[in-house]
Amino acid sequence: MGKVRKNKSVWGSRITNKTSYNFKKFGASIDVDKRLFREDIEASIVHVEMLCKQKIITLRIKNKIIWGLKKISNEIKKKKFHFNSRYEDIHMNIENRLFEIIGEDAGYLHTARSRNDQVITDFKLWLRKANKEIIKSLTTTIKIIINNSEKHVYTVMPGFTHLKNAQPISLAHYLLAYVEMFNRDKKRFQNNFLDLMENPLGVGAISGTSFNIDRNYTSKKLKFTKPTRNSIDTISDRDFVVDFLHASSLCSMHISRISEEFIIWNSEAFNLISLNDKIVTGSSIMPQKKNPDPLELIRGKTGAIYGNLFSMFTVLKGLPLSYFKDLQDDKKFVFDTFDQLKNSILVLNDVLKNVLFNKKEMKNLAEKGYITSTDFADYLVRELKNY
Ligand code: ARG
């Protein structure tokens, strides 16, 4: 290994001119991908354990690197780590700090590995947790809706088609329609696990490595079920990102629909629900107002979530194989979608816990608009068919 690379980029011996200030700022992703630090360190530890097991590095170097990585992890957790855009991304920030802590042996960490397989490994590990978190919040949503439904089996309301009174229904029946949607959402997030269970680590920059690595070992340690099969596809594949953004978009669409529903029901014109003061805001000029802002915000955020899906699709549509820098923004889309969706579900859960259904008004409305015409027609056909 060469000298300690103080303040030098990894490609410092090949590219000698200083990177332009504007490009450095533009190209750095550290502000976004620092969220991957846990996964990056976890995967790096498993990687060096494998290198040692395969006798590619010595036990002494393995222990030294793992010690350094754990120290870095603590520094980041305690907010004592200085993230530097000079080192572009989380992988290089950590590696550079490792050089500072343990010296030139840090270079062995990059043996038989490229940032190309490193970033996808981290990202898949992160997405597995994200999927689980969303599934957990949706389970809470479903529980709250079922709880509300149990109280309203006998609450009669008009079922609407075209927003016109159609047929009388039970409020529980109505609310449980959303349980079906959120269950399908959960299934979609669960399905995403299949692709998140294939281990990209070991495919290197594009064509694997000449070192005798053990991908089954890293798969097992990182709880992947098996290694990915084709290294070129592995490097360029972001289907698992699109899957997450798609599942999130659908889920967000469902949340937006129930929000819109409640916004309409909360209007004076409908007056079918009232919202607790905890989940409304007032107006700066009209003292009588109680506005359903949280629901409107959820509805609005769905646009940004769709936007992230289409941004990712658009980034991918013209990319030949395999890695291109365009792909770096995948994390921005996913983190933003995850944050927006997670918060939207949490706020929706608050709304669902703080909504009062106006039974009287539901019944009044159910008596309007000749809502039992179909039942009456059915009655006539059934009872008078022999006449
Ligand atoms: N920060 C990069 C990304 O997220 C890491 C991969 C870099 N690979 C490369 N060949 N430049 O995409």
Side-chain angles (χ1 to χ4, degrees):
M1 288 299 146
K3 299 202 300 288
V4 178
R5 320 177 296 199
K6 195 117 185 74
N7 284 338
K8 210 170 162 196
S9 54
V10 272
W11 45 78
S13 12
R14 173 79 178 99
I15 299 173
T16 45
N17 263 354
K18 253 181 104 186
T19 315
S20 96
Y21 170 79
N22 288 331
F23 171 57
K24 201 188 297 168
K25 249 179 56 187
F26 187 66
S29 60
I30 185 64
D31 285 345
V32 173
D33 60 29
K34 62 184 173 195
R35 280 177 82 160
L36 294 175
F37 87 88
R38 279 191 188 79
E39 293 73 22
D40 198 67
I41 288 176
E42 183 190 354
S44 287
I45 290 177
V46 169
H47 180 65
V48 288
E49 279 170 347
M50 181 277 294
L51 292 177
C52 177
K53 182 185 87 66
Q54 296 298 96
K55 303 201 179 356
I56 298 167
I57 62 169
T58 64
L59 185 65
R60 185 189 66 82
I61 290 176
K62 176 195 96 167
N63 288 339
K64 207 169 161 189
I65 293 178
I66 292 182
W67 175 81
L69 287 172
K70 287 189 173 158
K71 189 171 156 61
I72 294 171
S73 173
N74 273 332
E75 286 177 359
I76 301 179
K77 282 181 193 152
K78 290 189 179 138
K79 302 204 182 331
K80 288 193 178 135
F81 187 92
H82 174 59
F83 292 103
N84 191 339
S85 61
R86 164 195 277 274
Y87 305 116
E88 199 178 296
D89 57 23
I90 185 64
H91 325 293
M92 296 213 282
N93 266 265
I94 290 179
E95 200 177 307
N96 189 72
R97 179 74 185 120
L98 193 64
F99 268 95
E100 287 173 3
I101 298 175
I102 68 166
E104 59 185 300
D105 283 342
Y108 285 106
L109 172 61
H110 218 68
T111 316
R113 189 175 72 167
S114 148
R115 272 187 305 154
N116 289 0
D117 57 346
Q118 187 178 357
V119 69
I120 323 169
T121 307
D122 297 357
F123 204 18
K124 281 190 168 182
L125 292 176
W126 190 92
L127 271 167
R128 282 197 323 221
K129 293 183 201 158
N131 269 293
K132 274 195 191 137
E133 257 193 69
I134 300 284
I135 289 171
K136 203 169 142 219
S137 330
L138 282 175
T139 305
T140 309
T141 312
I142 289 171
K143 272 192 198 140
I144 307 172
I145 299 180
I146 291 178
N147 194 28
N148 280 337
S149 305
E150 275 167 351
K151 293 185 203 137
H152 289 288
V153 175
Y154 298 107
T155 302
V156 177
M157 64 169 282
F160 306 108
T161 57
H162 311 269
L163 213 53
K164 300 278 287 176
N165 283 11
Q167 292 182 315
I169 54 167
S170 142
L171 173 59
H173 186 179
Y174 190 91
L175 291 174
L176 290 172
Y178 283 99
V179 168
E180 298 301 309
M181 296 180 217
F182 293 131
N183 268 327
R184 285 198 297 273
D185 289 330
K186 272 177 70 174
K187 224 190 304 165
R188 257 183 294 273
F189 285 108
Q190 274 150 2
N191 287 343
N192 288 349
F193 276 97
L194 287 181
D195 286 337
L196 294 173
M197 294 312 278
E198 289 192 3
N199 180 16
L201 196 58
V203 302
I206 172 168
S207 66
T209 170
S210 54
F211 286 98
N212 178 30
I213 58 170
D214 182 349
R215 295 186 68 203
N216 288 325
Y217 176 88
T218 54
S219 298
K220 203 164 150 218
K221 288 281 171 171
L222 292 169
K223 299 194 172 61
F224 289 107
T225 49
K226 56 179 181 199
T228 54
R229 281 152 49 104
N230 181 306
S231 66
I232 304 171
D233 171 58
T234 304
I235 290 312
S236 63
D237 169 34
R238 292 297 182 277
D239 292 3
F240 64 94
V241 175
V242 174
D243 281 342
F244 178 79
L245 296 173
H246 173 251
S248 301
S249 295
L250 259 171
C251 179
S252 185
M253 179 263 280
H254 291 148
I255 294 176
S256 183
R257 289 181 76 171
I258 194 168
S259 298
E260 168 69 359
E261 194 100 72
F262 280 9
I263 291 166
I264 295 171
W265 289 10
N266 185 55
S267 67
E268 270 79 20
F270 272 74
N271 190 26
L272 298 183
I273 55 171
S274 56
L275 300 171
N276 189 293
D277 281 0
K278 285 189 207 163
I279 44 160
V280 292
T281 48
S283 154
S284 58
I285 179 173
M286 298 167 283
Q288 86 284 9
K289 290 297 287 290
K290 284 187 180 182
N291 297 327
D293 282 20
L295 292 166
E296 293 165 17
L297 270 173
I298 293 177
R299 188 179 55 187
K301 301 235 181 257
T302 306
I305 291 177
Y306 288 179
N308 287 330
L309 171 66
F310 280 90
S311 299
M312 192 68 230
F313 265 139
T314 313
V315 163
L316 289 168
K317 82 176 255 299
L319 284 193
L321 296 173
S322 61
Y323 179 83
F324 288 89
K325 194 71 165 178
D326 314 39
L327 295 170
Q328 178 163 275
D329 275 341
D330 55 0
K331 283 153 306 283
K332 188 160 92 52
F333 306 143
V334 163
F335 293 157
D336 182 61
T337 285
F338 173 78
D339 291 340
Q340 310 275 18
L341 181 64
K342 179 82 202 295
N343 291 336
S344 297
I345 300 174
L346 293 180
V347 171
L348 176 68
N349 289 352
D350 278 358
V351 171
L352 289 166
K353 281 190 242 162
N354 288 289
V355 55
L356 265 185
F357 296 95
N358 188 347
K359 290 188 194 190
K360 214 171 122 207
E361 202 44 47
M362 285 187 168
K363 185 153 179 294
N364 279 345
L365 195 56
E367 279 164 4
K368 291 182 190 149
Y370 305 101
I371 199 166
T372 49
S373 305
T374 311
D375 299 280
F376 183 58
D378 289 350
Y379 169 84
L380 292 179
V381 172
R382 232 180 7 249
E383 303 300 322
L384 306 179
K385 61 174 180 279
N386 296 328
Y387 285 91

